[in-house]
Every structure is written in C-alpha cells, then in structure tokens.
Amino acid sequence: MIAQPSLASAETRLAAIARLNDRCRQGIDRTARIMVTRTCLGTFASGDRAIEIVVQARLFAAVRRHVFTETDAGERDRGNFEFEGTTVYFKIDYYDAALEYGSEDPSDASKTRRVLTIMIR
C-alpha cells in the first residue's frame, strides 16, 4: 500500500511553489530565466531593437504588478493582463538545474530552475 501525502503537506508544498513563483515574477530569483516570444515583441516593437528593450521592461513590470484572484491563485504560475489593448499571457515552467528536463520537485529551489515566458496568442 502506497502512503498518500497528507492534505497539510500538499498545502505546504503548494504554498512553497507559489512563494518561489512569486520570487520569479518579481525578478528576485537569480536562477530564473525570463523569455518574451518573438511574436509578442513583434506585436509591440515592430522590429526596432531599442523599442524591444523598452517593451520587454514594460511587459516584465506588468507581470510583476499582476494580482491573482482567489480562484486563480494556486501555484501562481500563469496569468494574463491587458497591454496596449492586447491580452498578454505569462507562464512559469519548472526545469531541472541543467534546464534539460522537467523538475522533479518544483517546491525545492535547489533542484528547480524557473522559466517565465511572456506571450500572446
């Protein structure tokens, strides 16, 4: 018989993942990577490199300001917001330390590298 994790330990694990995701979104996690898709950049910067840098900074600021509702809080690993009249989405994925495979335990910062991707549909 396999022991099932207790509800308290599942809640503790979820809270740890959410806290680590908040650190990623706030730019505090030095091991995290932040990606903006080419389509997203092209929508707002039209290929101008200088404007791309400004757009990236503004998008990341919008991700940092994102407020989760009670119903979508959970791991706080995804969300969306309006940016210049377009819905922008973000998602945090969990990888191993080498960024090759999925993380075995997203609640353990020593084993997990987070990649935050900002995109549009």
Side-chain angles (χ1 to χ4, degrees), residues 6-114:
S6 71
L7 182 59
S9 66
E11 289 175 357
T12 301
R13 184 174 186 279
L14 180 64
I17 292 171
R19 186 176 57 255
L20 291 168
N21 286 344
D22 287 344
R23 291 178 53 82
C24 175
R25 284 185 316 97
Q26 297 301 319
I28 299 170
D29 181 350
R30 292 179 179 241
T31 66
R33 304 286 188 268
I34 300 167
M35 311 295 293
V36 180
T37 65
R38 297 298 311 162
T39 302
C40 187
L41 277 181
T43 299
F44 303 112
S46 304
D48 183 325
R49 296 275 188 201
I51 294 176
E52 282 183 1
I53 294 168
V54 173
V55 167
Q56 287 180 50
R58 291 180 55 221
L59 286 166
F60 190 46
V63 169
R64 286 193 312 261
R65 286 190 306 268
H66 182 75
V67 176
F68 292 94
T69 65
E70 193 65 34
T71 57
D72 68 357
E75 292 182 11
R76 297 194 292 266
D77 64 336
R78 65 182 70 210
N80 64 70
F81 54 90
E82 291 297 312
F83 185 83
E84 296 182 3
T86 301
T87 302
V88 175
Y89 300 87
F90 67 89
K91 170 77 171 92
I92 299 173
D93 293 299
Y94 315 121
Y95 292 92
D96 66 355
L99 293 169
E100 293 179 10
Y101 303 103
S103 174
E104 292 180 18
D105 184 5
S107 66
D108 185 343
S110 68
K111 295 180 182 178
T112 304
R113 299 297 172 261
R114 284 169 162 71

